[in-house]
Amino acid sequence: MSQHQFQTEVSQLLHLIIHSLYSHKEIFLRELVSNSSDALDKLKHLTLTDDAYKQVEFDPRIDISFDEKAKKLTISDTGIGMNENDLVENLGTIANSGTKKFVEQLTGDAKRDSNLIGQFGVGFYSCYMVADKVEVVTRKAGENDAYLWSSDGKTGFDIEKAERDTHGTSITLHLNEEGVEYVSRWEIQNIVKKYSNHIPFPIFLHYEDTRTEGEGDDAKTITEQKEEQINAASAFWKRSKSDLTDNDYKEFYKDLSHDYEDPMFWSHVHAEGTLDYTTLFYIPSKAPFDLYRADYTPGVKLYVKRVFITDDEKELMPTYLRFVKGIIDSEDLPLNVSREILQQNRVLAKIKTNSVKKILSEFTQYAKDSEKYEHFYKEFGRPLKEGLYQDYENRDTLLELVRFKSTKVEGLTSLADYASRMQGDQNTIYYITGENEASLRLSPLLEMYKKKDIEVLILDDEIDEIVIPSVNKYKDFELKSVNRSDAADELKTDDDKKAEENLKPLIERIKKVLGDKVKDVKASSRLSDSPSCIVADTSDPTFQMQAMLKAMGQDAPSSKPILEINPGHSIIEKMQKMEDGDLFNDSVLLVFEQALVVEGLKLENPADFVKRMNDVINRAL
Ligand code: ADP
């Protein structure tokens, strides 16, 4: 028997792991199974490529067994195995120099440990979170001697000769208090399914099956040893697209998402070159129930070389694509990537960028069938609009994908279709925002556009208020809100300008009456049937937006409206001739208040408004 000391960094690493990772202690099984899978991969490679190994039998399998009474758990494989030298090198030192540096840096600063520990490989040593003694019996493929490596994970390890029938490695954990929960068939099965289901080699669980036969005094308890394969042993997404039927894809989707409906469509990519990865994304046929909750469940799982890493990482997709379900499997990431590393990792960032582009191009393709796209848009149109302000890089693509209601067409229209309908020298896309489609369609703000036969988009979705003003442009066309004061400027004719001149004295008188209720009073060129309307100043948030922010409990800066009056309306014409006095004042207030009402805004004092109106009716009767 030979005794060995752990390399200093190993002792430090062991200490770090035990004290920082215990809340994720179940990953020890993932690490051991991954090591076995690697050992099988290595042997497979050699038997395929090296003549010296041509004779070695390759019967790949991983076996897990446990002994409840003795609190022992064994993970065994038929992989490459280790000789004495390998054992000293691999299970006594840290080979990776990056890891070594990291450990040196970390030790001594206990506070930072738990955040940073995940950034380097923990691997084999993680089993000391759940065991106070570990024994490794191993025989290297092509060699005759087997060895037993054993250690309590404190200062060093022993190596002695041992017996093993075949090449491969068996690791036995003598479980501690933290580990006893893992001598359970269900526990092991769950962890393997969660992390290692798609490892490409079969994993067998051995267990005792106890049943009673016969009745009464004849009853006998029979105990049988059984084994069961507990992983799927194939990475569905790694299979070639041509081997898979639509049905295969649908079934895998249901497995993955626990959705019982078929997906709407999917996209499967095997990328090779500077980066090797596979992605398989699904669009559900219905929006997930938690789509609009801050604590939504992310739909994309991350795998590294077919080993499950996480399904709880919102960063894998931009928020606006949170309804996408699927898998990213990278060949270029380390197995032990922590959340912190994931968020800054360049490999992952690149995969993400490519994936988003790919997904959006699938949407673009899908949009060619307007009937199908309508269904898609009903479910996911809103998150796509969020993308307009979240994803600047893909804004042009997203602008082609969003749809709006309009004064000119039934249903929804794209911006491209709006642009194709523009007439003459129109180079602005007009839109009106508000809560209620019906009242928006009747808004006095639209009168002039109707008269001039100019199309206006009806934006009645709450999110439009936030998103669309940030867009500004579609191709070379400016987007302008007709709720704002400057939208009608470019429609002004010479006649309008003359009428404006004429109205100046009346405007001054109105301003005196309204005082600081308004920001300004102007002659309008956008009205035809209504005497007045209110608009927001170019740089102010619209009133609907202000009301929305208030409803959301945010104290928004409330800006004052601009009152526009219609020079061609008979009420305004009559007001020009009126003397100052109560009747004039009431008329001014009523012209202002009705404009507020039409826009769906609250009056400061509804009772006063009603009283004024009744006075005027009384006079007229
Ligand atoms: P990593 O797997 O990140 O290299 P580990 O600490 O998990 O780090 O393992 C260290 C080394 O021990 C491995 O690289 C491998 O060479 C060897 N090893 C671990 N488990 C096995 C096994 N089941 N069969 C053969 N070699 C193994």
Side-chain angles (χ1 to χ4, degrees):
M1 183 169 89
S2 58
Q3 288 184 319
H4 303 259
Q5 293 289 308
F6 281 129
Q7 184 194 24
T8 330
E9 289 85 0
V10 173
S11 304
Q12 293 170 338
L13 177 59
L14 277 163
H15 181 86
L16 281 181
I17 290 171
I18 291 162
H19 293 278
S20 334
L21 269 183
Y22 54 87
S23 57
H24 309 285
K25 59 187 176 176
E26 67 178 19
I27 62 150
F28 82 92
L29 194 52
R30 174 188 79 181
E31 297 295 322
L32 295 182
V33 168
S34 293
N35 280 350
S36 288
S37 171
D38 288 347
L40 288 163
D41 267 335
K42 279 180 205 159
L43 183 58
K44 182 178 178 186
H45 184 74
L46 287 172
T47 55
L48 294 173
T49 56
D50 190 334
D51 283 343
Y53 288 84
K54 284 263 150 76
Q55 301 307 318
V56 173
E57 193 193 346
F58 184 58
D59 172 23
R61 56 184 289 150
I62 297 167
D63 289 89
I64 303 177
S65 55
F66 58 92
D67 181 334
E68 219 174 319
K69 283 204 198 82
K71 296 186 201 158
K72 282 200 302 198
L73 178 65
T74 302
I75 293 99
S76 193
D77 64 66
T78 53
I80 180 84
M82 286 175 274
N83 59 25
E84 193 173 8
N85 235 349
D86 294 337
L87 280 170
V88 177
E89 291 271 300
N90 296 336
L91 303 186
T93 58
I94 298 175
N96 185 322
S97 58
T99 307
K100 210 157 143 181
K101 279 222 185 73
F102 221 96
V103 176
E104 282 164 4
Q105 255 181 39
L106 280 181
T107 40
D109 192 346
K111 268 208 102 148
R112 281 157 55 209
D113 295 353
S114 55
N115 281 330
L116 297 171
I117 182 122
Q119 297 194 8
F120 57 89
V122 283
F124 171 77
Y125 302 109
S126 63
C127 56
Y128 284 101
M129 287 188 290
V130 294
D132 39 38
K133 185 177 177 191
V134 178
E135 290 172 317
V136 180
V137 175
T138 178
R139 195 177 118 192
K140 192 158 186 172
E143 298 183 15
N144 292 321
D145 295 332
Y147 296 90
L148 165 67
W149 176 103
S150 60
S151 169
D152 60 3
K154 294 210 166 78
T155 51
F157 54 92
D158 298 330
I159 297 180
E160 58 196 280
K161 279 238 167 141
E163 290 296 318
R164 201 179 197 281
D165 291 343
T166 55
H167 59 84
T169 303
S170 303
I171 296 180
T172 299
L173 312 184
H174 297 263
L175 299 166
N176 59 19
E177 279 299 300
E178 296 289 326
V180 280
E181 64 191 271
Y182 300 111
V183 284
S184 141
R185 184 179 162 198
W186 307 116
E187 215 28 65
I188 296 170
Q189 199 162 307
N190 283 341
I191 301 172
V192 169
K193 279 223 159 73
K194 179 168 169 192
Y195 294 108
S196 313
N197 201 26
H198 299 287
I199 284 222
F201 306 108
I203 302 171
F204 296 97
L205 179 60
H206 299 252
Y207 60 93
E208 274 182 0
D209 192 39
T210 315
R211 64 198 150 85
T212 318
E213 258 180 25
E215 277 177 31
D217 291 345
D218 293 336
K220 272 191 298 191
T221 313
I222 297 176
T223 304
E224 257 183 308
Q225 284 296 329
K226 289 206 167 165
E227 72 169 47
E228 186 190 347
Q229 183 176 336
I230 51 172
N231 67 331
S234 80
F236 177 87
W237 57 92
K238 283 286 181 187
R239 291 163 64 186
S240 155
K241 289 204 259 188
S242 53
D243 291 348
L244 297 166
T245 64
D246 280 5
N247 231 3
D248 292 335
Y249 278 111
K250 287 176 188 170
E251 265 174 30
F252 181 69
Y253 168 74
K254 289 174 187 174
D255 246 12
L256 173 87
S257 63
H258 304 290
D259 187 350
Y260 53 87
E261 282 187 64
D262 284 340
M264 207 182 303
F265 57 98
W266 55 85
S267 154
H268 191 186
V269 173
H270 293 293
E272 279 172 10
T274 35
L275 284 181
D276 288 350
Y277 63 87
T278 299
T279 52
L280 172 55
F281 296 121
Y282 287 98
I283 307 307
S285 52
K286 289 235 165 62
F289 75 96
D290 57 358
L291 188 63
Y292 296 110
R293 291 174 50 158
D295 61 347
Y296 69 91
T297 323
V300 175
K301 299 185 185 203
L302 178 68
Y303 283 75
V304 171
K305 300 188 189 84
R306 300 180 301 270
V307 179
F308 172 79
I309 303 294
T310 176
D311 60 1
D312 188 28
E313 185 45 74
K314 291 186 174 167
E315 295 287 320
L316 293 174
M317 274 286 129
T319 343
Y320 74 95
L321 291 178
R322 59 191 176 277
F323 55 88
V324 175
K325 309 259 175 229
I327 274 158
I328 296 177
D329 188 353
S330 160
E331 297 293 317
D332 306 298
L333 286 169
L335 259 189
N336 292 285
V337 278
S338 70
R339 166 161 283 165
E340 290 76 19
I341 264 265
L342 277 182
Q343 291 173 358
Q344 315 149 2
N345 186 280
R346 279 166 57 202
V347 170
L348 200 61
K350 187 77 189 127
I351 295 177
K352 185 171 150 182
T353 314
N354 294 353
S355 298
V356 170
K357 287 218 157 38
K358 176 68 186 164
I359 291 170
L360 293 183
S361 81
E362 295 284 345
F363 293 173
T364 307
Q365 199 59 29
Y366 207 68
K368 288 186 178 150
D369 183 329
S370 53
E371 208 171 296
K372 277 175 156 182
Y373 193 65
E374 197 179 314
H375 170 57
F376 169 86
Y377 199 78
K378 205 175 117 242
E379 298 295 324
F380 305 116
R382 238 185 112 154
L384 282 192
K385 284 182 188 164
E386 293 173 26
L388 286 176
Y389 71 83
Q390 278 173 19
D391 188 354
Y392 192 78
E393 205 184 318
N394 292 303
R395 183 178 272 182
D396 288 347
T397 315
L398 285 161
L399 277 173
E400 299 295 348
L401 289 170
V402 289
R403 300 286 181 269
F404 302 100
K405 291 170 187 157
S406 145
T407 53
K408 279 258 176 94
V409 291
E410 292 238 347
L412 298 173
T413 181
S414 66
L415 293 175
D417 286 344
Y418 178 109
S420 73
R421 285 188 294 266
M422 284 180 172
Q423 285 169 16
D425 54 0
Q426 182 185 350
N427 51 19
T428 303
I429 295 178
Y430 296 100
Y431 65 87
I432 181 165
T433 56
E435 267 168 42
N436 180 308
E437 181 185 353
S439 64
L440 282 179
R441 286 191 185 278
L442 295 172
S443 168
L445 297 176
L446 294 181
E447 286 169 8
M448 184 49 76
Y449 300 91
K450 224 171 267 166
K451 214 169 160 191
K452 298 204 158 142
D453 198 30
I454 293 172
E455 180 170 0
V456 179
L457 297 174
I458 310 279
L459 274 47
D460 61 342
D461 193 349
E462 255 183 22
I463 189 174
D464 295 330
E465 280 285 352
I466 302 168
V467 170
I468 305 304
S470 78
V471 173
N472 283 326
K473 270 195 158 183
Y474 166 71
K475 294 196 168 148
D476 285 335
F477 309 118
E478 226 175 300
L479 270 77
K480 262 193 189 164
S481 158
V482 307
N483 310 61
R484 285 176 196 282
S485 65
D486 65 342
D489 287 353
E490 59 206 39
L491 302 174
K492 266 187 197 151
T493 60
D494 286 345
D495 282 352
D496 288 334
K497 283 176 193 153
K498 220 180 277 162
E500 222 168 83
E501 232 3 79
N502 283 341
L503 270 190
K504 271 202 173 141
L506 175 64
I507 285 176
E508 284 314 311
R509 292 169 66 203
I510 292 177
K511 277 188 190 167
K512 255 189 221 142
V513 178
L514 292 178
D516 62 3
K517 285 190 172 66
V518 290
K519 192 163 186 175
D520 202 358
V521 179
K522 289 180 176 173
S524 184
S525 50
R526 69 177 101 211
L527 296 170
S528 82
D529 302 335
S530 307
S532 60
C533 66
I534 55 155
V535 291
D537 203 358
T538 324
S539 54
D540 288 342
T542 61
F543 307 114
Q544 287 80 6
M545 170 84 116
Q546 292 176 32
M548 209 172 87
L549 291 173
K550 239 178 235 155
M552 283 168 15
Q554 300 188 16
D555 42 12
S558 55
S559 54
K560 299 203 171 92
I562 294 174
L563 175 69
E564 288 193 1
I565 52 174
N566 179 359
H569 198 278
S570 58
I571 290 183
I572 302 299
E573 281 168 357
K574 283 178 187 158
M575 281 172 75
Q576 275 178 292
K577 294 174 199 141
M578 271 166 95
E579 305 271 314
D580 279 347
D582 285 350
L583 184 57
F584 178 76
N585 292 351
D586 279 354
S587 310
V588 169
L589 286 166
L590 283 171
V591 161
F592 173 59
E593 285 163 334
Q594 64 166 287
L596 293 174
V597 171
V598 171
E599 285 299 302
L601 298 169
K602 275 215 180 94
L603 295 177
E604 223 170 81
N605 195 335
D608 274 0
F609 166 68
V610 173
K611 186 179 167 296
R612 265 192 285 283
M613 200 172 62
N614 286 335
D615 282 352
V616 174
I617 295 175
N618 234 343
R619 267 196 205 115
L621 290 176

